[in-house]
Amino acid sequence: MNPVNIDKLASQPCFWLRAAGRDSDVVVSSCLSLSRNLEGFSFVGRSSAPDLVSVIRKVEEAAEQAFQPTGVSVFRMDTLSAEDASLLVERQLASREFIESKCPRVLLVSPSEDFCVMVNGDDHVRMVATNAGFALRETWSRLSDVDDALEERLVYSFDDEFGFLTSCPSTVGTGLRASVTVHIPGLIETNHARKVMRSLEKLNLAARGRLGESGDNLGDLFEISSQATLGSSEDEIIEMLRGVVASVVGYERRAREEILAQDRVGLDDRCSRSLGALSSAREMSFAEATTHLSNVRLGVHVGLINDVSASLVDELIVASQPSHLRRLTQEEQLADPMIEEDELRALYLRRKLKE
């Protein structure tokens, strides 16, 4: 296992935030996860602490053998501060429920952050693979490789009729959850977003705000995810989500074209004002920052802003989150211990945009 350097982790852009890949103007990232439980152990909620420690030991040993030569970093959650644990959530490496759990648990992360493994969350093992842009097939290929490597060394709970057994009925079967994060400011501004969300519900898909503590709509970023897996194969789940997201991408692009046709000057003004605010403000809340960054991201992708890269905008969305921000501005905090978070955020944004 590799030693963990949380400062290094915070300072490097997320693997999935490269503003690259197909349809990256709308689709920010693709994410797939597989839930598994080990044969011979009760589910996490019914296991004793010694049994959960045994699960950790088995999974760590399997991972150490499976992922050579690069290995994985291990985060022992009971030794992490709340701040560091929150940073892992901000990077989409762990869920809020996982870091807040009190049972013995660890997080394994690949060097490039393209996959991670949560041990003793809702289930004994939850493998997660993430990629930039609209890349569900490529992400599934990576996750399948991770699953195969671990399954060679672990025995999972499996039923011939139901498939893989998990603690949540919605993941029994394949254990697969698939999701994409989309940026849909056009649909929101043209008041078409609600209609699209209702259509997703009819297809047994969920949509929620990607940023914020409770699925709030910040930065016009939404996660569209599959729900049930029983009775469907992995390919069927992925292909169904691919088709739906492709439609959402088309709707969003048409909405952007509609806004440009009706009020190009107004949109240009809004995007430019947001860039000006990010470049000069002395205080800025996270909600305000994500609103401005959403406007700038839209401006970049419709050709109204040319002197800022899309990858920088995506990087700043992550870096503006509280835990990342405090890690990235430690020198400023030492120089002025009384400085407020909103001042730090404004200072950081000004500095990055000036660079």
Side-chain angles (χ1 to χ4, degrees):
M1 298 292 175
N2 297 327
V4 173
N5 187 327
I6 203 83
D7 287 322
K8 181 179 178 182
L9 190 72
S11 64
Q12 62 191 24
C14 294
F15 172 80
W16 46 269
L17 270 184
R18 296 175 295 165
R22 189 165 62 87
D23 299 323
S24 58
D25 56 323
V26 177
V27 181
V28 178
S29 62
S30 303
C31 180
L32 296 171
S33 70
L34 284 172
S35 296
R36 300 286 188 258
N37 287 284
L38 301 193
E39 184 71 40
F41 293 89
S42 300
F43 287 161
V44 174
R46 292 180 172 272
S47 283
S48 64
D51 278 351
L52 294 177
V53 171
S54 295
V55 168
I56 290 173
R57 185 172 62 251
K58 285 180 176 293
V59 176
E60 283 187 340
E61 289 173 355
E64 190 165 11
Q65 297 169 17
F67 303 126
Q68 292 300 329
T70 58
V72 291
S73 296
V74 57
F75 294 83
R76 304 198 182 282
M77 303 308 295
D78 58 348
T79 66
L80 286 184
S81 68
E83 182 85 6
D84 290 346
S86 184
L87 185 140
L88 297 174
V89 176
E90 292 177 357
R91 297 184 76 82
Q92 297 186 24
L93 293 172
S95 66
R96 179 65 58 182
E97 295 76 17
F98 179 74
I99 70 164
E100 291 177 351
S101 171
K102 302 302 181 185
C103 72
R105 65 212 187 283
V106 299
L107 174 71
L108 310 178
V109 180
S110 70
S112 64
E113 295 182 64
D114 64 332
F115 79 86
C116 64
V117 182
M118 284 177 267
V119 185
N120 291 339
D122 292 333
D123 295 285
H124 294 146
V125 176
R126 186 184 180 201
M127 298 160 273
V128 183
T130 312
N131 212 331
F134 196 7
L136 285 171
R137 285 175 178 165
E138 296 89 334
T139 311
W140 168 240
S141 177
R142 180 59 171 136
L143 183 61
S144 182
D145 288 344
V146 173
D147 182 38
D148 290 345
L150 288 178
E151 193 169 15
E152 288 180 6
R153 298 162 176 87
L154 298 170
V155 180
Y156 294 139
S157 296
F158 185 85
D159 182 88
D160 290 337
E161 181 180 357
F162 294 108
F164 291 101
L165 302 179
T166 63
S167 61
C168 180
S170 65
T171 53
V172 170
T174 64
L176 177 69
R177 280 277 172 84
S179 69
V180 295
T181 297
V182 293
H183 183 227
I184 54 171
L187 288 171
I188 291 171
E189 183 167 339
T190 56
N191 296 316
H192 293 148
R194 191 179 299 275
K195 179 180 178 181
V196 170
M197 299 305 173
R198 284 199 299 266
S199 300
L200 294 176
E201 291 174 3
K202 293 177 183 178
L203 295 170
N204 200 27
L205 297 172
R208 66 181 185 90
R210 190 65 192 86
L211 298 175
E213 290 294 322
S214 56
D216 303 322
N217 171 24
L218 295 178
D220 302 325
L221 290 166
F222 285 83
E223 181 184 77
I224 302 173
S225 60
S226 62
Q227 294 301 289
T229 72
L230 189 62
S232 299
S233 68
E234 293 92 345
D235 288 339
E236 288 171 339
I237 293 168
I238 291 168
E239 286 306 307
M240 189 270 287
L241 184 60
R242 282 187 73 251
V244 170
V245 173
S247 296
V248 172
V249 170
Y251 295 147
E252 171 61 23
R253 286 181 178 152
R254 285 193 288 274
R256 295 180 184 187
E257 291 169 1
E258 179 183 331
I259 297 168
L260 281 168
Q262 293 179 355
D263 189 13
R264 183 183 184 90
V265 173
L267 179 59
D268 193 1
D269 180 69
R270 187 173 83 236
C271 296
S272 297
R273 285 176 182 270
S274 283
L275 180 56
L278 292 166
S279 302
S280 61
R282 264 41 188 177
E283 289 185 339
M284 188 165 290
S285 68
F286 178 59
E288 186 181 6
T290 54
T291 297
H292 288 312
L293 288 166
S294 174
N295 288 336
V296 173
R297 191 180 200 278
L298 175 60
V300 170
H301 283 296
V302 298
L304 295 175
I305 294 178
N306 299 309
D307 52 354
V308 176
S309 70
S311 59
L312 174 60
V313 177
D314 287 351
E315 178 187 335
L316 293 178
I317 291 173
V318 171
S320 295
Q321 297 176 105
S323 295
H324 272 80
L325 181 69
R326 286 189 281 272
R327 277 281 174 183
L328 294 169
T329 58
Q330 293 184 58
E331 289 185 12
E332 289 79 5
Q333 294 172 67
L334 287 172
D336 182 5
M338 300 302 292
I339 194 169
E340 299 289 337
E341 181 182 300
D342 289 358
E343 294 178 76
L344 286 170
R345 184 174 290 106
L347 176 62
Y348 182 79
L349 291 168
R350 291 199 311 273
R351 183 172 69 221
K352 293 295 291 184
L353 287 167
K354 186 175 293 185
E355 290 173 2

